[in-house]
Amino acid sequence: MRSHVRRTSTASRSGGCRLSRHVEVKAARQELNQNSRRDHNSLQLPCGRSNCRRYFKTQAGRTKHWNAAHPTIARAANAYRASVSEELEEHRPAPEQPEARFDFQEVEYDGLNMMGHDGTRDSPAPRTNVEFWGPGDRLYRNFHKDLDEQLSNHNGTFLPPGSPPKPLSDKSPNDWTPYRNRIEFETAEFFFTENQTPAAQINKLLDLWASTLQKHSDTPPFADFRDLHKTIDKTPLGDVKWQSFSVRYNGERPATDVPPWMDQDFDVWYRDPREVVRNMLANPDYVEEFDYRPYREFLTDSDERQWRDFMSGDWVWDQADIISEDPGSHGSMFVPVILGSDKTTVSVATGNNEYYPLYASIGNVRNNVRRAHHDAVSIIGFLAIPKTTKEHATGDVMFRKFCRQLFHCSLSKILETLRPGITKYEVMRFGDGHFCRVIYGLGLYIADYEEQVLLTCIVRGWCPRCLSSHINLDEQAGWRCRHHTDALVEEGTLGELWDEYGIVGDLVPFTNNFARADIHELIAPDILHQLIKGTFKDHLVEWIEKYLYQTHSKKTAQRIMDDIDRKIAAVPAFAGLRRFPQGRGFKQWTGDDSKALMKVYLSAIEGHVPVDIVRTFRAFLEFCYFVRRSVITEKTLEKIQEALDRFHQYRQIFETIGVVSTFSLPRQHSLQHYVLLIRLFGAPNGLCSSITKAKHIKAVKEPWRRSSWYKALGQMLVTNQRLDKLAASRADFTQRKMLDGTCLSAAALAVEKMRTMNLEPDNVDIQGNTAAHTVNSTESKDDDNDTEVDDGPTNIEAHVELAKMPQRKRARTPAALAVELSIPQLPNLLRRFLFTQLNPDDPRDPSEVPLTCCPQYNEKISVFNSACSRFFAPSDPSAVEAEGYAAV
């Protein structure tokens, strides 16, 4: 690979989107709601302009009125992109003065207004389809009109709306290929996925199993571990093979003392990302957790906009506008590919083994699924980590440059199969059986700050998004963009680029090889490293400790720190609070540690530090909890900005008392961009690096532990491939309803059925191909140190978990409990509650139902002191998919 890489650019633009599919029940419900809406929906949408009292039935009518009666030049919906390019054109000097091209600091920046958001809702774009959304018509969505995800056949020919899909599989309900029956599949899944059983132990367990079957002249499902592994390898589903390529430096070489890295081959292993994305789109588990079209969501009663999943952001909408400029893309679906990478160490004691995994997801999958890791994040590569001697690693500029070029060229090579689908549609099959045209695009890149510096080819200490100087990051400045950087590189020297703009001018971002991709625009917000580990742990907590030791004597400061630890340790047990018996005095803080301490740290420092420091923490915590919401409204954005302003105001005390000399800290500076990033990409809790860190466990660390540690990477690749095959098999069997119940319940049902048919169970296969009921099973879980994994249900009406043990010496009947709690009407309330549970369709209020119609219950009851409830709460804007969580 050459040390100098030519810059490339692409101009082709096309793309697509997809029409959301609804089951018949939901379609019927929407039609019913629309029919009833005609009786009361008139004149409910106000004009909103000053001195205008007109009201309208539809968004389209109000938009026509705005265009006719209030002809103003509105800001474009994609003003955040135009604000950089257009204003740069406005301030750019004439071509005959190339030396002035560096003066881009004149670009005006006014926070939200620069992006075309002034606190009020923008006028609906003309190319929209409006639909009411969710229960009770509390929300409505504007869907993109051109990229509307029209159904097609496998050749891409459009089909009439409502055309039924072809069956996902033509296999019989008893076809367990490559397994012979359900027991074989679940045994393989248990050994390989759930228990991660070593080969020797698999053989031993199979021998023990065989010893119990000798008297029945039967054998276990597998002969040995090799038979089990070969059976998994024969699975046709989820089969995306690993490939590799090697890179060697072939640039300029010194005449003598050639560094060893110049003669080494660096291997990069990867899987075709196009095939990985194809498998994600075809996964039937995502049918109800998938957004097929870009949308903008509003509250029906107030027209207040809100953001949740990735497809609700303005960036996706603007991409759809660009793609739809090509009429041939109309009716397609836009699939943004989200990437993430992060180095991880699997073992420090045995050689400091490091790996550099690359992950991929798609923006259409909703945030709650991506956080829950339902195979919505897949590993697609292991990047090379060049190693050399300490002499060249620390002082060799050419080696550092080669490492950066290797990174970008590797990404470009891995993602090259996506390039044709970025400019021309492809036909893909989805999890519901339908075909549709899809157009890819590079979406956000999830990375911590060190990785962002590498991705954006900037100097450490500068912001990867804006042009603020590293000396004063909080000064107002314009946005970085691809065209701006290219113009600077053409006219400036490497030294000027480095010193004045923080640009590494001899590097080329991999995104330059892909249409509609600008790496400065695609850097994801990172709650874990920017807020939790960065601003909270590394900045504020450390500043407080420094303040105490600077203000008091060493002995007094230690006494105060001990008192803070005692307060932290004294936190009572409560649902959602973590206890720290030793205070904060542990060696290594993880992300979960920091998140737990954030809940109790403010009360622990109160009284030991000045009031403004307490106010600084309060403002920062408010900011954190607002941005971590799963649904963020316009009012929430105002609160986020208000909390940020107060944080900037009160943090000045640290500079006043001499604790810090500057606030030009890139991770803390990134807080300024969160309001904009939420508008562009939706709620940031589904785009955090904690997602990729959690994936490290399943994709890197556990496969490494299962290997022999000798040339472990090859074994890790095979392990990941087998895990994907098993996951794909489970999704297929589940979709065909072959995994209802358990093996035992299915076998028992089969035996009972045979007995009713007067058959001998010993003469018939009862391996459990059918089942009558579902038995709950407990899946193994793995806690990650820096993750926030949502292991709860992702699509629910209500889910309640009681305490493990009921209370003793409490009332055992409803009447006795009514006396104990001094609630005489408790038995009647219980009867009405039972009536609502048995008659969910009864339109009457429970208080209106006569007691004579309500069932009685006077049997034994148990009392639990606490319970955790996860429920459908559409009125709570902070919940996941209108999902609430409460500890009682």
Side-chain angles (χ1 to χ4, degrees), residues 27 51 62 70 163 398 439 450 458 498 605 610 647 650 703 752:
N51 301 324
R62 184 166 63 175
H70 308 286
S163 299
M398 296 180 64
I439 293 182
E450 296 300 323
I458 64 170
W498 183 286
I605 64 173
F647 172 72
Y650 292 124
E752 184 64 26

Side-chain angles (χ1 to χ4, degrees), residues 272-342:
D272 186 348
R274 178 175 171 274
E275 293 299 322
V276 173
V277 170
R278 178 190 292 270
N279 288 341
M280 290 182 183
L281 296 175
N283 193 329
D285 290 344
Y286 304 153
V287 172
E288 299 298 328
E289 302 284 357
F290 203 91
D291 292 319
Y292 297 92
R293 295 177 287 174
Y295 67 90
R296 290 170 173 167
E297 189 170 84
F298 302 89
L299 297 173
T300 303
D301 55 352
S302 62
D303 283 348
E304 181 183 8
R305 187 176 175 185
Q306 62 183 27
W307 292 262
R308 56 175 74 214
D309 300 305
F310 188 75
M311 298 295 283
S312 68
D314 290 341
W315 180 85
V316 174
W317 191 283
D318 296 336
Q319 289 288 302
D321 285 342
I322 297 173
I323 294 170
S324 61
E325 293 175 1
D326 177 13
S329 67
H330 292 187
S332 301
M333 169 184 166
F334 179 47
V335 178
V337 179
I338 297 176
L339 301 170
S341 60
D342 182 30

Side-chain angles (χ1 to χ4, degrees), residues 548-814:
L548 293 176
Y549 281 95
Q550 179 177 297
T551 307
H552 306 280
S553 65
K554 182 177 180 180
K555 184 176 181 180
T556 304
Q558 289 177 344
R559 180 182 57 80
I560 295 175
M561 294 299 298
D562 290 340
D563 186 62
I564 292 175
D565 286 339
R566 281 193 294 270
K567 289 183 178 181
I568 294 175
V571 172
F574 189 78
L577 286 181
R578 176 180 166 187
R579 301 196 65 226
F580 295 91
Q582 305 301 325
R584 58 176 291 276
F586 39 86
K587 293 182 179 180
Q588 182 178 0
W589 285 32
T590 65
D592 285 342
D593 293 333
S594 298
K595 283 180 282 189
L597 280 172
M598 287 171 66
K599 299 179 181 180
V600 299
Y601 200 78
L602 183 63
S603 59
I605 64 173
E606 198 274 335
H608 295 302
V609 296
V611 176
D612 278 359
I613 292 182
V614 176
R615 291 171 176 169
T616 303
F617 265 86
R618 175 184 174 181
F620 172 73
L621 293 177
E622 288 181 3
F623 179 91
C624 288
Y625 291 130
F626 281 135
V627 300
R628 289 174 63 185
R629 287 184 174 183
S630 297
V631 178
I632 300 177
T633 65
E634 290 179 336
K635 292 181 180 178
T636 307
L637 289 180
E638 295 175 0
K639 294 178 180 178
I640 291 173
Q641 188 62 46
E642 179 187 359
L644 180 62
D645 293 340
R646 286 189 284 112
F647 172 72
H648 286 163
Q649 174 187 350
Y650 292 124
R651 73 174 180 178
Q652 296 297 327
I653 188 173
F654 289 106
E655 188 175 29
T656 302
I657 61 181
V659 174
V660 296
S661 58
T662 180
F663 294 113
S664 290
L665 305 167
R667 287 181 294 179
Q668 194 171 133
H669 162 75
S670 66
L671 274 62
Q672 296 186 7
H673 301 320
Y674 267 71
V675 172
L676 166 66
L677 297 179
I678 291 170
R679 291 182 179 273
L680 295 182
F681 305 112
N685 63 359
L687 303 166
C688 180
S689 62
S690 61
I691 296 174
T692 58
K693 285 190 174 294
K695 193 66 178 178
H696 285 341
I697 295 176
K698 296 295 183 183
V700 182
K701 296 184 178 181
E702 288 182 353
W704 182 84
R705 296 182 192 128
R706 297 168 66 166
S707 70
S708 66
W709 299 357
Y710 175 70
K711 296 183 178 180
L713 181 56
Q715 302 169 58
M716 295 163 60
L717 301 180
V718 173
T719 298
N720 275 286
Q721 191 167 15
R722 288 171 178 164
L723 290 172
D724 288 345
K725 287 175 176 288
L726 286 168
S729 294
R730 169 162 283 277
D732 177 54
F733 296 151
T734 301
Q735 188 274 330
R736 290 192 278 152
K737 303 187 182 300
M738 297 167 62
L739 293 177
D740 293 343
T742 64
C743 279
L744 184 59
S745 65
L749 179 65
V751 170
E752 184 64 26
K753 183 177 180 180
M754 293 170 212
R755 286 175 178 170
T756 60
M757 300 173 61
N758 296 323
L759 297 175
E760 290 294 332
D762 292 341
N763 299 330
V764 184
D765 178 16
I766 55 170
Q767 298 294 341
N769 292 327
T770 59
H773 59 279
T774 301
V775 180
N776 292 332
S777 61
T778 302
E779 300 180 356
S780 62
K781 299 178 181 178
D782 194 318
D783 295 331
D784 181 70
N785 290 335
D786 293 335
T787 66
E788 185 176 3
V789 180
D790 185 359
D791 289 319
T794 59
N795 193 2
I796 62 173
E797 290 292 335
H799 178 74
V800 179
E801 295 181 4
L802 296 175
K804 293 183 178 180
M805 294 294 295
Q807 295 298 303
R808 299 180 179 179
K809 298 182 181 180
R810 298 295 299 271
R812 295 299 184 184
T813 63

Side-chain angles (χ1 to χ4, degrees), residues 134-154:
D137 290 345
R138 294 184 177 91
L139 305 172
Y140 68 88
R141 289 182 175 181
N142 293 341
F143 290 98
H144 202 277
K145 184 177 180 181
D146 295 330
L147 275 71
D148 54 356
E149 179 258 333
Q150 296 183 27
L151 305 180
S152 68
N153 58 20
H154 65 281

